[in-house]
Amino acid sequence: MSAASEQPAENMALLVADSIGYVIRGKTILTEVSLQVHHREIITLIGPNGAGKTSLIRILLGLTQASSGTVKRQNNLRVGYVPQGINVSDVMPLRVCDFLNVTGLYSVEQCQQMLAEVSCEYLLTSPIQNISGGEMQRVLLARALLKKPQLLVLDEPASGMDIIGQQGLYESIRNIRDKHDCGILMVSHDLHLVMAATDRVICLNTHICCTGHPDDVSEHPEYLKLFGDAIDGLALYSHHHDHEHDIHGNIVASEHCHSCEHNENAGDDHDHDHGRKATQDKK
Amino acid sequence: MIDDFILYALLAGIALALVVGPLGSVVVWRRMAYFGDTLAHAALLGVALAVASDQLPMAGVGIIGVVMAALLFWLEKQRDLSTDTLLGILSHSALALGLIVLSVLQSQGFNINLMSYLFGDLLAVDQADLLLMYGSVLVILLVFSQILSSLISISANEELARIDGVAVEKIRFVFMILLALVVAVALKVVGILLITALLIIPAATARLFSKSPKQMVVMSVLVAIAAVVLGLYSSMKWDFPTGPAIVVSASFLFFISRLLNRSDT
């Protein structure tokens, strides 16, 4: 599965957006937004509330029509989409396995395996209305991955997850990219968590303020202007150190019962600072 | 020793049960009960026009239903009014128009048994009706089975369905047309006024016993058949009007199952 040694279409972008404009009821949401997503590239879209992040994603996905500009997707591009906290109708009996396999294309084993990959194998036959917001995000991710997407689009994938879940998720983004060999475009508020897991950051506020490698963007004046307040917290971010998982686990154990998403990274030296909680609440 | 007319009534009721279960399930999932009502109101116009042009009432109902579906589809695209407002407009316009056409027809000496269209006339079903009904049922179920997965996908979440390549608009439109045909099938069985009841009550009853969408589809057929048998039986035994007896039986099953389920847990 992970035989992705060479990129098959390295120069051909999965998706090319050219000077997208979006105006709704006289209000300009997006102007002159151009971007490309390449094979195996991880792009994070950041920006303040109301910056047009979700509108841009919806336009790229073809769910919303742009007012101007063009979006070109590769022919028959398989897109996996993880929206932000969706509602599934209460009035339809629907188990997680039905939801995963709504198209009838997958076997139970495939669904089970994909759920295991997002640490949710125990949910297979749960009614989807009974699962928590964080579990829903994982199930949505599993559903998107089942399609073997060439492009995975994540809109605030960590919403509804507790802090350990969020960190696990962002740490696994690279693994997902490597294992499933796809480009990833995600929207996030969690600057400090996301930065380490991304190849390119696009900072959006109606237009693209700045774009580039996370380290460059985090020093860009436009970026500092937008996220000045959060930067104080970011200073702590660069403070790497090993730590004992079990101590952390104990702290959060009361609200989080399955820390299995940590396992794959256990022993890794990953960024984890104690000051983060202080800046976590701007969502 | 069953009389022909009872056998025909039973067969006609079962024909209806075969389609109201599956389509009713989707009506419940997609909260389309008001659309069912609109089709039912418009059915009166269909009957009136069919009588005026000397066609089968069932055909008139089917055609007007398809016209209503197309009108709703077109109006919904304009997005400045909500669906329930649009349905209110369509439903009552069609009903009022139907009443005008009926009154014109009556003044011209047409003899129309309004009651039989409003409440059904199951015991008057003949072989030709049955043939037409089962033909329609077959077509409806064939198309329905083709679009069921897409309908489930859309009902769960329309945007994810779109991303997965479901032609959402097309599927919705096809489903509306199927519903219009179901109303036509139901005309003789329960009549115009009670059609929506048979769409939603068996499906709502089945909801309680179903873990998956497809299970609900199957269960609601069983509930609908039970309602038909029970209704027909009570209609024979106590001389109730048949259509209303079937609907009351369905409601009875609905409430009983809710009560029993409560005491279980």
Side-chain angles (χ1 to χ4, degrees), chain B residues 6-207:
Chain B
I6 297 177
L7 185 65
Y8 290 169
L10 186 64
L11 288 175
I14 289 173
L16 183 60
L18 287 174
V19 286
V20 289
L23 278 88
S25 297
V26 180
V27 168
V28 168
W29 300 337
R30 307 219 6 99
R31 300 163 208 263
M32 287 173 76
Y34 199 8
F35 178 67
D37 259 350
T38 303
L39 287 177
H41 283 158
L44 193 67
L45 177 60
V47 168
L49 291 176
V51 171
S53 57
D54 198 25
Q55 301 293 323
L56 281 174
M58 197 175 146
V61 171
I63 290 168
I64 287 295
V66 172
V67 170
M68 296 302 274
L71 269 176
L72 176 68
F73 201 71
W74 171 66
L75 286 171
E76 272 187 332
K77 284 202 168 164
Q78 309 184 3
R79 286 166 177 275
D80 56 338
L81 291 170
S82 72
T83 303
D84 66 327
T85 304
L86 297 175
L87 286 174
I89 293 167
L90 289 177
S91 163
H92 298 108
S93 309
L95 181 61
L97 202 56
L99 291 171
I100 289 176
V101 176
L102 272 181
S103 111
V104 170
L105 285 176
Q106 272 164 343
S107 72
Q108 289 180 355
F110 278 91
N111 183 21
I112 298 173
N113 183 0
L114 195 56
M115 286 300 275
S116 78
Y117 294 119
L118 290 182
F119 300 106
D121 199 0
L122 187 54
L123 300 179
V125 166
D126 58 25
Q127 276 178 333
D129 290 328
L130 273 180
L131 213 60
L132 193 56
M133 286 177 83
Y134 273 93
S136 312
V137 165
L138 195 68
V139 171
I140 293 168
L141 288 182
L142 270 178
V143 176
F144 183 81
S145 64
Q146 294 301 307
I147 63 171
L148 178 58
S149 292
S150 300
L151 285 169
I152 293 172
S153 180
I154 295 171
S155 307
N157 190 278
E158 213 167 287
E159 292 197 338
L160 288 176
R162 234 179 265 272
I163 300 277
D164 288 347
V166 175
V168 175
E169 312 304 328
K170 192 179 119 199
I171 297 289
R172 279 181 43 207
F173 189 59
V174 170
F175 181 70
M176 285 182 187
I177 289 180
L178 290 185
L179 267 187
L181 296 181
V182 169
V183 171
V185 171
L187 182 67
K188 276 243 167 169
V189 183
V190 285
I192 291 164
L193 285 180
L194 294 172
I195 287 170
T196 316
L198 265 200
L199 274 173
I200 60 175
I201 300 175
T205 310
R207 169 71 181 90

Side-chain angles (χ1 to χ4, degrees), chain A residues 60-153:
Chain A
L60 297 179
L61 288 169
L63 291 173
T64 303
Q65 191 65 40
S67 313
S68 59
T70 55
V71 179
K72 284 204 196 82
R73 281 175 287 269
Q74 226 176 58
N75 277 348
N76 301 318
L77 184 71
R78 287 189 308 278
V79 180
Y81 175 44
V82 178
Q84 196 181 154
I86 65 157
N87 293 318
V88 174
S89 163
D90 284 343
V91 287
M92 180 159 69
L94 195 69
R95 296 164 301 184
V96 169
C97 53
D98 303 315
F99 180 64
L100 288 176
N101 194 18
V102 96
T103 50
L105 293 175
Y106 314 114
S107 66
V108 180
E109 289 74 29
Q110 280 174 303
C111 295
Q112 209 155 14
Q113 196 187 344
M114 202 52 82
L115 276 180
E117 207 176 300
V118 297
S119 316
C120 283
E121 60 275 32
Y122 59 95
L123 289 177
L124 189 70
T125 55
S126 308
I128 200 148
Q129 291 86 5
N130 292 359
I131 70 177
S132 75
E135 287 169 337
M136 188 66 196
Q137 291 306 111
R138 288 159 201 271
V139 168
L140 285 168
L141 180 59
R143 189 184 197 273
L145 289 174
L146 270 171
K147 281 176 76 179
K148 299 194 179 13
Q150 294 158 290
L151 172 64
L152 185 61
V153 178

Side-chain angles (χ1 to χ4, degrees), chain B residues 210-231:
Chain B
S210 311
K211 291 195 168 64
S212 75
K214 285 179 181 162
Q215 208 181 349
M216 179 159 157
V217 165
V218 174
M219 286 294 291
S220 51
V221 171
L222 298 180
V223 176
I225 289 178
V228 164
V229 172
L230 205 62

